[in-house]
Amino acid sequence: MERSKNKKILLSLILCIPFVFGGFITNDSMMPYFRMKKIVLDAGHGGKDPGNVGSKAREKDINLAVTLLVGKYIKENMPDVQVIYTRDDDSFPTLKERPTIANNNKADLFVSIHSNSAPNKSAFGTETFVMGTKHFDANFDIVKRENSVILLEDNYKENYEGFDPSSPESYMMFNLMSKVHFENSVVLADHVETQFRDRVGRKSRGVKQGPFYVLWTPSMPSVLVELGFLSNSEEERFLMSQEGKEYMASAIYRSIRDYKEAIEKN
């Protein structure tokens, strides 16, 4: 009788082992899967800051229209993803506030949308930037132009701790950037440029690195998209057209969709 009782106790203990120690077993079947739940869309410039200006178009207007369309497509086709805008009107969030919105909302992705310009009016094409300092000299003009937005802000010297967007020496601080989200940022940027080139038929200038302030502080994968050159009359007309805006927005949406599918498989 005693032996039978001991066997039952032993059997009960053996059956309890998986439940007691299961929480310490780290196999793939027990690890939680990553799900992209929140994305912050940032329409560059706005309010008192028009951004680049073409013969007719203002960058802030192009950026906002495309950004709102991207958000619309995500809401319609990816209902499990929450869309948060840094601005959804002609307001002027500071350069510092934009990534802060993403961090405070614990977003999984940050996409900043811009339109380019160049002294050479024949320059055209799209390009998507990730945070980095590779080929800094070649990209300094566009980096300086985008970061110079801070000069329109009140108390910018105090808020940005003496950072001078026109001084190459100021960019030494960006060498301390975290590499944690670099690879995923490049994956998304590559999706964006592939969509622009293969689906919309735009000239892609490729994925590039740049020490943009807006990409420095987000604690999630982040990209800055340049839709095209407003200084180029042909690209300006395309980006001003409703068809052009819809094509570019749908390309960015598909890039985000493909990126989401890719990272959630891993």
Side-chain angles (χ1 to χ4, degrees), residues 207-219:
V207 174
K208 300 181 178 181
Q209 294 184 29
F212 296 93
Y213 202 99
V214 77
L215 296 181
W216 186 43
T217 55
S219 57

Side-chain angles (χ1 to χ4, degrees), residues 133-195:
T133 55
K134 187 177 181 181
H135 303 309
F136 172 73
D137 291 340
N139 297 324
F140 182 60
D141 284 344
I142 183 174
V143 169
K144 179 173 62 175
R145 187 164 62 247
E146 296 292 0
N147 286 337
S148 66
V149 171
I150 69 172
L151 303 180
L152 298 176
E153 301 174 19
D154 297 330
N155 301 318
Y156 74 89
K157 289 184 179 179
E158 292 79 8
N159 291 337
Y160 294 90
E161 299 175 346
F163 173 70
D164 179 359
S166 64
S167 169
E169 289 75 19
S170 284
Y171 290 88
M172 293 178 64
M173 61 188 288
F174 290 97
N175 289 326
L176 303 175
M177 59 164 285
S178 170
K179 299 284 187 180
V180 172
H181 302 292
F182 180 78
E183 290 185 7
N184 278 356
S185 298
V186 171
V187 169
L188 175 59
D190 187 62
H191 278 305
V192 172
E193 287 303 308
T194 298
Q195 285 287 337

